[in-house]
Amino acid sequence: MKQYLLSIYQPDGPPPPPEVLQPIKRAVGDFIQELRDSGAWVFNGGLHPPSTATVVRVKDGEALITDGPFAEGKEHIGGLCIVAAPDLDAALAWGRKLARATTLPIEVRPIQTER
């Protein structure tokens, strides 16, 4: 079974008010439960805001550490889910369900297993 990364793209800024966020949290919880029940769940997690990110790069053999996200933009990866699926179509079906639950864009990308 192949594995796919479902990246949740979240707009920058404060979270929505509780009356908007609570139904989304319930829908995401239901989605994760469905994933687990189906056997397709591998891993999921939400991320802290981009302001908590630390970037490590190597330049001239030295590791340089800087605060903040690597890329600047109007949205960021707010969470992720790894699913096991037989093919891209099945992974996209999970991506559609997650997009409906979160109301946010979901990027579906296969994880490389070949070395």
Side-chain angles (χ1 to χ4, degrees):
M1 187 86 54
K2 298 175 184 173
Q3 292 184 343
Y4 293 84
L5 169 66
L6 308 182
S7 301
I8 302 165
Y9 283 92
Q10 182 175 326
D12 285 342
E19 63 271 12
V20 173
L21 193 55
Q22 288 307 319
I24 292 170
K25 284 184 172 185
R26 279 193 297 280
V28 170
D30 292 345
F31 168 79
I32 297 302
Q33 190 59 54
E34 182 181 355
L35 259 183
R36 287 177 182 266
D37 292 346
S38 75
W41 181 86
V42 177
F43 175 82
N44 72 281
L47 300 173
H48 288 281
S51 61
T52 65
T54 304
V55 178
V56 180
R57 341 179 139 76
V58 174
K59 183 174 181 178
D60 298 326
E62 293 290 322
L64 305 174
I65 298 173
T66 56
D67 292 335
F70 175 71
E72 292 191 27
K74 295 185 183 201
E75 58 187 17
H76 59 274
I77 297 177
L80 60 107
C81 186
I82 308 288
V83 300
D87 54 38
L88 179 59
D89 288 337
L92 289 171
W94 287 116
R96 281 191 292 277
K97 289 182 180 193
L98 185 55
R100 285 188 188 103
T102 63
T103 71
L104 296 171
I106 305 299
E107 178 183 319
V108 177
R109 188 184 300 189
I111 294 175
Q112 290 184 5
T113 54
E114 301 165 3
R115 298 197 181 231

